[in-house]
Amino acid sequence: MSERWYRNAVIYSLDVRAFQDSNGDGVGDLQGVISRIDYLSRLGVNTIWLGPIHPSPWRDGGYDVTDHYGIHPALGSLGDFAELMNVADERGLRVMLDLVLNHTSDEHPWFTSARSDPRSPYRDWYVWSEDEPADRTEGMVFPGVQETTWTYSDQAGAWYHHRFYDFQPDLNICNPEVRDELAKIVSFWQRLGVSGFRIDAAPFTIEQTKPGGDPTDRDYDFLTELREKTSWRRGDAVFLAEANVQRDELMEFFGNADGAANRLQMLFAFELNEALMLALAKQDPKAVQEALATLPALPRHGQWATFLRNHDEVDLSGLDEQDRQDVLDAFGPQRRHQLYERGIRRRLAPMLDGDQRRLRMAYSLQFTMPGTPVLRYGDEIGMGENLHLPERDAIRTPMQWSATAHAGFTTADVADAALIRPVIDDGPFSHQHVNVTDQRRDPDSLLVWFERMLHTLRECEEIGVGEHDLIPVDPTPVLAHRAEAPSGTVIFVHNLTDQPMRVALPPDLEHDDHPVEVFSNREYDSLDLRNLELDGYGFRWIRLRRTHARR
């Protein structure tokens, strides 16, 4: 196994408030996560990424923080968090936290002080303008919902900057005191045993913002400083950044000191995600082939984080107009499916019409891409969305544990409307039809399939640490690629259409005398590399070579 744990990890993303309620108040909590820790261990993930857990008014899913050092009382206490770290450690599970450095809530004590008095010691912790900025209606993160990026405060007598909603004022990264405080926040959670942090809105975090300024004027040195301090205190802690930027900017986030990533170890592979969605929509692997062929070579120890769905919308802003429309037509044709003029607010299972064959092929494809796979809670059972909820809340509904009241999420004796969010209780993706308990009893369920795939993944470290190359094959709807590392070689073949196919792999593939199929959509009768059978939406993982020598 790689000595850098994150390269062979499987990251499970969950919202504590929507995962499991332990005390019947209708809100998920840390004790609820603890009660489900064995479920996560059995599933086969080895890293849990917790969404925001800090005190917050919860106007933006907890990303509007009022105290970076605390736990929201509804979720529990620091003692509960310490217990979670203990039980996770006992099962070999690591924990990552969301790290919100770009902004705070406007109810944060820092901001309430800053706007109350121009002589406040926290005044310069935020970004202000005495005059109305000419660009205040530009650069909105949530177009169609958000109207400005500068808002006037009567109390402060000045305009403050906010890349996101007006109740999330931006911190001033140019202020050394702010930089020191953010480093303290990271150190605090590291001392409690956290293995890594997902940096929310990384490009905006390092913007050197001023009225009329260049939004691409970024202070990458702050990321270097943060990484250096973190590595000194805990050498194996990682940063995973949300940085949906142009390809030529990606390397700035990784950093490249003597050929090694010296800033951030991991970035979400947004370009690859868009290619996957386009390939699934068109049932044509061309977009993925182009992405794999052109993704920039990463510095040593740099790693992509792959995903199909996350806690936000499917962001299609990097696609050209026609490709974007093709994905919308396939997966989000109705206006209510769409969000922020760029994306889709649906879960993957309903986007694929609940087709189990296609769903499994899609996740097999994601999990064999170069990098570390990220799985959103509920996707392992094929949960759907609630389009009656606003914006991104549509895909943030409570976990569906059983067909009982409130999906087994809570024992609260209240209507669904009184929960943190209502459970899905109608249609083919309701908790009566899609839940953990029923799928646990079904050996052919999506949940059991995920368990098999994730445990197979542990024997295929080449995916996380190896070099990936395309393998030319006919017919064109089939994607074939190879992952090669010192441990051996594995090839992956995926049929993106519903029609059965036969493909001939090149004769010069180096392999042992007896290649072994390690995972597939079903048990095939033969393994003939020159005449490989694939069902409609079929896939096959084939180990060509295994090296047992020590590395």
Side-chain angles (χ1 to χ4, degrees), residues 278-285 358 476-478 496-499 537:
L278 181 59
L280 292 172
K282 300 177 75 171
Q283 300 191 36
D284 183 340
R358 199 175 181 194
T476 53
V478 173
L496 275 70
T497 75
D498 62 355
Q499 298 301 309
Y537 301 131

Side-chain angles (χ1 to χ4, degrees), residues 181-463:
E181 186 67 24
L182 296 180
K184 284 183 193 175
I185 291 166
V186 171
S187 178
F188 175 82
W189 293 103
Q190 276 186 295
R191 295 297 292 176
L192 292 179
V194 169
S195 292
F197 302 89
R198 177 255 186 190
I199 300 182
D200 180 59
F204 304 137
T205 295
I206 57 174
E207 275 186 3
Q208 300 183 92
T209 308
K210 56 185 177 182
D214 182 355
T216 63
D217 183 13
R218 298 182 176 126
D219 187 357
Y220 296 101
D221 287 343
F222 172 65
L223 298 178
T224 307
E225 294 169 15
L226 205 60
R227 164 73 182 276
E228 288 174 348
K229 291 177 181 178
T230 301
S231 296
W232 180 254
R233 292 170 180 143
R234 175 167 178 163
D236 66 346
V238 301
F239 288 118
L240 166 57
E242 178 192 36
N244 193 2
V245 296
Q246 297 297 315
R247 184 180 297 179
D248 57 1
E249 298 176 72
L250 290 170
M251 290 305 104
E252 293 288 355
F253 285 90
F254 280 112
N256 193 337
D258 298 324
N262 68 310
R263 284 183 182 140
L264 307 177
Q265 299 97 327
M266 304 180 72
L267 264 68
F268 284 104
F270 282 99
E271 184 177 343
L272 184 56
N273 173 253
E274 289 174 332
L276 288 167
M277 297 307 298
L278 181 59
L280 292 172
K282 300 177 75 171
Q283 300 191 36
D284 183 340
K286 182 179 178 181
V288 177
Q289 291 167 336
E290 291 178 351
L292 291 178
T294 59
L295 281 175
L298 299 186
R300 279 195 327 276
H301 315 316
Q303 184 84 337
W304 298 116
T306 67
F307 62 101
L308 283 176
R309 289 300 289 114
N310 59 17
H311 61 295
D312 289 328
E313 76 283 1
V314 180
D315 190 339
L316 306 172
S317 58
L319 297 177
D320 65 36
E321 185 174 350
Q322 183 56 58
D323 286 342
R324 186 182 310 118
Q325 192 59 51
D326 287 342
V327 179
L328 290 174
D329 289 344
F331 300 143
Q334 300 178 32
R335 188 70 190 95
R336 64 184 188 138
H337 296 154
Q338 301 169 20
L339 189 62
Y340 306 141
E341 303 173 7
R342 63 170 179 254
I344 301 171
R345 63 187 199 111
R346 305 184 72 194
R347 289 253 194 178
L348 189 67
M351 281 196 280
L352 299 182
D353 298 321
D355 188 328
Q356 288 290 305
R357 297 179 306 154
R358 199 175 181 194
L359 197 58
R360 296 178 195 202
M361 182 276 293
Y363 277 109
S364 171
L365 186 59
Q366 179 217 333
F367 275 65
T368 57
M369 290 291 103
T372 298
V374 180
L375 179 67
R376 181 66 172 164
Y377 81 92
D379 282 355
E380 73 272 21
I381 58 172
M383 275 177 56
E385 71 273 341
N386 182 351
L387 295 172
H388 297 294
L389 297 177
E391 299 182 56
R392 296 164 295 172
D393 283 354
I395 56 171
R396 299 176 180 181
T397 56
M399 181 67 176
Q400 295 171 194
W401 295 106
S402 69
T404 59
H406 307 310
F409 162 70
T410 181
T411 58
D413 186 19
V414 295
D416 280 350
L419 305 183
I420 184 66
R421 295 182 195 98
V423 300
I424 298 175
D425 60 5
D426 63 349
F429 299 97
S430 70
H431 69 276
Q432 292 92 342
H433 295 100
V434 177
N435 63 74
V436 170
T437 301
D438 289 347
Q439 293 196 21
R440 172 67 67 229
R441 297 167 178 162
D442 180 1
D444 296 321
S445 70
L446 184 62
L447 174 61
V448 174
W449 177 86
F450 256 106
E451 290 176 351
R452 289 199 302 267
M453 181 178 70
L454 296 187
H455 285 85
T456 303
L457 201 68
R458 296 192 178 195
E459 299 180 13
C460 298
E461 66 174 277
E462 294 85 359
I463 295 173

Side-chain angles (χ1 to χ4, degrees), residues 20 22 29-36 75-76 79-80 83:
Q20 180 68 68
S22 71
D29 46 48
L30 292 172
Q31 285 294 333
V33 176
I34 290 170
S35 74
R36 296 293 187 178
L75 306 186
D80 293 322
E83 183 180 352

